[in-house]
Amino acid sequence: MDPASLAKTLIVELEGEVIGDLMLAVEDAWAQTEIAQQAQGALADLGWVLHPDHAGHGYATEAVRELIRLCFEDLGLRRVTANCFADNTASWRLMERVGMRRETYAVKESLHRSGEWLDTMGYGLLA
Ligand SMILES: CC(C)(COP(=O)(O)OP(=O)(O)OC[C@H]1O[C@@H](n2cnc3c(N)ncnc32)[C@H](O)[C@@H]1OP(=O)(O)O)[C@@H](O)C(=O)NCCC(=O)NCCS
């Protein structure tokens, strides 16, 4: 893994075994030029992967809840976002379980490794 992505990665452990990882990428919010400094580092883009052997027990939900707590309480961010392919039911169900709001639906926005352009959904949550 390259150092830049490692710096944004948190691991999910279950009894000492790594069962997944989370991404936390702090970003600047869009702002008008005169005020752009105040929008620096105001939001985070989040991501998650769980080993399939450990799916279906709520571990990702627990980890993402803690990730969101960390963003708002420890880092003081004002907004978190995450995206998924529209057909990634496990991922958007997870986002809705942790209280994130579906904010965008984009048609054929992102390229899947199959070579197909797929619809995506964007979720967000304010502190
Ligand atoms: C997205 C992903 C992390 C979700 O994993 P998951 O196993 O569904 O999520 P959880 O570990 O939170 O488990 C939740 C499931 O367990 C069930 N569950 C059982 N016990 C539970 C508990 N104590 N608490 C919460 N959920 C529980 C839930 O009902 C839910 O199942 P359902 O969606 O059928 O209702 C996983 O599918 C994954 O890694 N996918 C591949 C990578 C990926 O697509 N990442 C996202 C890219 S945008």
Side-chain angles (χ1 to χ4, degrees):
M1 205 183 239
D2 84 273
S5 15
L6 210 52
K8 299 175 190 167
T9 303
L10 293 89
I11 58 166
V12 183
E13 275 186 352
L14 178 68
E15 292 165 0
E17 183 194 351
V18 177
I19 62 162
D21 64 75
L22 308 171
M23 180 192 78
L24 193 181
V26 175
E27 297 173 353
D28 299 342
W30 188 86
Q32 290 192 297
T33 317
E34 313 86 288
I35 205 166
Q37 209 178 349
Q38 287 178 42
Q40 283 176 1
L43 60 84
D45 196 37
L46 309 179
W48 35 76
V49 182
L50 188 68
H51 191 286
D53 286 356
H54 296 281
H57 298 288
Y59 298 137
T61 303
E62 186 181 335
V64 172
R65 282 203 176 110
E66 175 59 15
L67 181 67
I68 291 171
R69 189 206 61 75
L70 192 152
C71 286
F72 293 144
E73 289 180 24
D74 297 356
L75 301 179
L77 304 177
R78 62 177 303 277
R79 176 170 152 81
V80 297
T81 58
N83 291 277
C84 68
F85 288 121
D87 66 1
N88 190 344
T89 309
S91 192
W92 65 253
R93 278 175 66 85
L94 164 62
M95 291 193 259
E96 292 187 1
R97 251 192 321 272
V98 298
M100 295 182 77
R101 173 178 51 235
R102 187 182 298 177
E103 296 180 335
T104 61
Y105 187 102
V107 177
K108 298 200 182 297
E109 184 188 46
S110 298
L111 189 57
H112 188 263
R113 62 173 68 86
S114 63
E116 197 183 346
W117 288 93
L118 295 182
D119 298 354
T120 55
M121 299 196 297
Y123 279 72
L125 186 67
L126 290 167

